[in-house]
Amino acid sequence: MKTLVVGDLHLKQQFVLPRIDGMLAGDAEIGRVVFLGDACDDWGANEADELNAMEFYAKWVREHRGRGMRIDVLLGNHDFCYVRGKRGPGSIMSIMRNLRTILEDALQAKVACAVGPYLCSHAGVTGVWAKRFLPDASADASADASAIAQRLNEMLADSSHWGDLDSCPPSRGGWSLPGPLWADLRDMLDDALPGVPQIVGHSPVERVENYASGWMTAGRDPLWACDTMSLMSYGAPIGDGSMLLVDEPGAMDGSTGLCGSCDSGTPGELCGLDVSNGADDAAETLEAYAVPFPGEGTFAEACKRYWEAR
């Protein structure tokens, strides 16, 4: 099964999701889509922009889940402001309750998930944050992405941990440790949790890129950065709208709940990979690669129409 990982949407659901539909129709092996958070908020957005995009998103997710596709919606720092009921950058306070209902009830958003050996979260888990808030994981060199994701989602379920999740570092204007909703790509390049390959959004990049592939980062755990759809304040795109496609030979099939390689019913089992228990080896075995913005025309052209319509 293949998993499509999509970076920060920031209210672009109404022109991005139909293009993803075309991609799904053209590749029957894609059985799962992971959204890396920050579905909410964009420069200059008003109440109508916000609600229309998020209601469209909820409807799309509900329909695809109803067809048996696995859809994982993760929370970004913008989204979490609506869950917490706390003003943040771009928050529209008058519709806070509306968006919290959409995020929690319709989208069933969470903090993290695993795609094979990869830990997916909005901004990434740093070593210093894990040492304080996930001491078992930071001390265990064989920490499993699924187990860490479960721990993060358990923190979401307990409001006493919301401040820990929402920890904002100096690199993003805060005074706290770089947490999984706020860590900048610079924080991740300096101090990503060792031994755990990760896929993140949050930090705008020109294209989907693996920061463990260059000669300067030899030996680094794989780190894919996927925030390619964010805009400058005047509407110019920063990235090219590309997405990440991960081919998981032993992934659980979204419709049957069975392993795609051996029909085992054991969740999280990486069957058919023929690798050791090392996450690095598993990540290198899986095929993960950037795919261009789907459909006709460029992401920049689509953004121009989106910006002019608003």
Side-chain angles (χ1 to χ4, degrees), residues 47-271:
E47 293 180 4
D49 296 329
E50 198 91 43
L51 288 172
N52 288 340
M54 292 301 291
E55 288 169 356
F56 184 91
Y57 189 27
K59 182 173 183 271
W60 189 93
V61 169
R62 182 172 60 250
E63 290 176 349
H64 285 70
R65 284 175 175 164
R67 297 170 190 162
M69 175 165 283
R70 178 172 176 181
I71 308 291
D72 292 275
V73 176
L74 306 187
L75 290 167
N77 56 298
H78 283 263
D79 311 320
F80 197 53
C81 289
Y82 293 103
V83 173
R84 290 193 75 181
K86 176 182 176 182
R87 183 186 294 277
S91 301
I92 301 178
M93 302 299 290
S94 59
I95 56 172
M96 192 154 281
R97 290 186 179 181
N98 307 67
L99 293 191
R100 178 174 182 175
T101 298
I102 291 173
L103 288 163
E104 291 187 332
D105 298 342
L107 295 172
Q108 300 173 357
K110 53 192 175 182
V111 174
C113 69
V115 175
Y118 290 101
L119 175 64
C120 299
S121 65
H122 179 61
V125 176
T126 59
V128 66
W129 186 89
K131 184 175 181 179
R132 180 169 178 181
F133 298 112
L134 301 175
D136 294 341
S138 63
D140 185 356
S142 63
D144 175 75
S146 296
I148 296 173
Q150 181 177 339
R151 291 280 300 280
L152 293 172
N153 293 328
E154 289 170 352
M155 292 176 72
L156 175 64
D158 181 352
S159 60
S160 68
H161 289 296
W162 284 2
D164 305 335
L165 291 172
D166 209 13
S167 180
C168 181
S171 59
R172 285 300 183 119
W175 298 98
S176 304
L177 298 177
L181 299 175
W182 278 100
D184 191 80
L185 183 58
R186 292 168 292 178
D187 300 314
M188 290 295 291
L189 291 174
D190 287 340
D191 184 39
L193 178 62
V196 183
Q198 298 192 55
I199 300 172
V200 302
H202 184 59
S203 296
V205 291
E206 293 183 2
R207 64 190 63 84
V208 166
E209 190 166 351
N210 180 5
Y211 282 83
S213 60
W215 65 270
M216 294 181 66
T217 55
R220 184 190 299 276
D221 298 313
L223 174 65
W224 285 95
C226 300
D227 179 6
T228 64
M229 299 187 201
S230 292
L231 306 180
M232 303 293 284
S233 61
Y234 51 90
I238 300 171
D240 61 1
S242 54
M243 305 172 190
L244 181 67
L245 196 61
V246 183
D247 192 354
E248 302 180 74
M252 305 295 288
D253 180 82
S255 58
T256 67
L258 300 177
C259 171
S261 297
C262 68
D263 291 337
S264 166
T266 306
E269 191 173 17
L270 291 174
C271 306

